[in-house]
Amino acid sequence: MRIDIISVLPALLESPFAHSILQRAQKKGLVEIHVHNLREYATNKHKSVDDYPYGGGSGMVMMIEPFARCIETLKAERKYDDIIFMTPDGEVLSQEIVNQVSIKKNIIILCGHYKGIDQRIRDFFVTREISIGDYVLSGGELPAAVFVDAIVRLIPGVLSDETSALSDSFQGELLDAPVYTRPANWNGHEVPPILLSGNQAAINEWRYEQAIERTKKRRPGLLGD
Ligand code: ADE
């Protein structure tokens, strides 16, 4: 998979992709992540990427030309399955959306700033708009990093234990059961004895019950009827 991200603050996206699972996935050649500096595609001599809104109002609006140039440059090199705009008024990100996007070959992600981006970018280029939740961040970079992390860990071969993505909270309808590691007794607080029993069938059953209990308590909406 190839992911191209267009941003005015590419430095914000360096660290999230340079560690741990995301770094390993790139080293293994399972995903290519390219961050493009929007300012390099500015068309005027001041290298502006934003301008005052028509009709007045507060805040600057990101201009169409730099985005158009960058997107056209990328599209001339390969076909893209989706051009995704990170925005608080998009569809709210879910594991289902992550699953859908993780099987695409090439995608572009646009990060906005300021008051928003010229509506024509959304009308003419964007195929999907995604929000990471009902709160407003100062730009689309952190949302893009969240989205890319969720996508990349689903690409086959990225996680060393392939079953672990399948048993994630949200991958089924249930939240995960609680997990424990050593010591078995911490200041008198013991690990549930069943986990030390060696009886795998009983442990699986316990985990399933715990997952149901946790889901009922915390996210009953996930259980349906
Ligand atoms: N840009 C600013 N806030 C955002 C959010 N909640 N989701 C996606 N992009 C955003």
Side-chain angles (χ1 to χ4, degrees):
M1 180 178 202
R2 178 181 166 118
I3 303 174
D4 289 277
I5 306 177
I6 307 176
S7 159
V8 270
L9 284 171
L12 261 183
L13 289 164
E14 272 166 28
S15 176
F17 303 142
H19 304 278
S20 184
I21 289 170
L22 274 98
Q23 183 194 44
R24 199 164 356 111
Q26 293 172 87
K27 281 197 174 145
K28 281 194 192 167
L30 299 169
V31 65
E32 272 182 51
I33 302 172
H34 299 269
V35 181
H36 307 275
N37 187 347
L38 185 66
R39 209 166 287 281
E40 287 171 14
Y41 295 85
T43 49
N44 66 18
K45 65 173 188 289
H46 306 293
K47 295 275 169 208
S48 351
V49 291
D50 61 333
D51 206 339
Y52 295 98
Y54 276 122
S58 65
M60 304 291 273
V61 176
M62 295 182 82
M63 303 157 71
I64 191 165
E65 289 108 324
F67 275 113
R69 270 182 77 188
C70 186
I71 293 168
E72 297 295 3
T73 304
L74 291 171
K75 277 173 123 179
E77 289 160 8
R78 68 194 64 75
K79 253 185 84 64
Y80 284 91
D81 301 297
D82 259 322
I83 300 183
I84 298 166
F85 176 44
M86 305 308 299
T87 174
D89 59 5
E91 50 179 332
V92 178
L93 187 59
S94 62
Q95 191 63 48
E96 193 186 339
I97 297 176
V98 174
N99 292 349
Q100 289 167 5
V101 178
S102 73
I103 59 175
K104 308 275 182 188
K105 194 157 176 286
N106 302 315
I107 63 166
I108 297 175
I109 300 177
L110 310 181
C111 305
H113 263 268
Y114 317 113
K115 193 72 198 156
I117 67 175
D118 190 303
Q119 181 59 38
R120 291 166 292 184
I121 303 167
R122 301 170 74 160
D123 294 343
F124 294 116
F125 294 110
V126 170
T127 59
R128 188 153 202 179
E129 304 194 326
I130 290 174
S131 162
I132 63 161
D134 287 339
Y135 43 84
V136 180
L137 298 165
S138 41
E141 284 76 12
L142 298 180
V146 166
F147 186 39
V148 169
D149 184 298
I151 292 169
V152 171
R153 60 193 294 289
L154 294 186
I155 297 172
V158 168
L159 294 187
S160 43
D161 177 2
E162 296 248 9
T163 60
S164 69
L166 290 174
S167 70
D168 283 344
S169 287
F170 297 108
Q171 199 53 269
E173 269 87 70
L174 297 178
L175 300 182
D176 269 356
V179 294
Y180 299 86
T181 187
R182 288 186 291 183
N185 182 327
W186 176 73
N187 294 347
H189 301 280
E190 304 223 0
V191 165
I194 182 98
L195 296 176
L196 311 178
S197 70
N199 181 344
Q200 198 58 52
I203 291 171
N204 292 347
E205 178 67 18
W206 178 86
R207 285 189 170 143
Y208 182 66
E209 282 162 12
Q210 291 288 315
I212 291 186
E213 272 318 298
R214 200 174 245 199
T215 309
K216 260 192 208 155
K217 223 188 236 155
R218 299 180 180 207
R219 301 291 302 277
L222 293 176
L223 286 171
D225 315 316

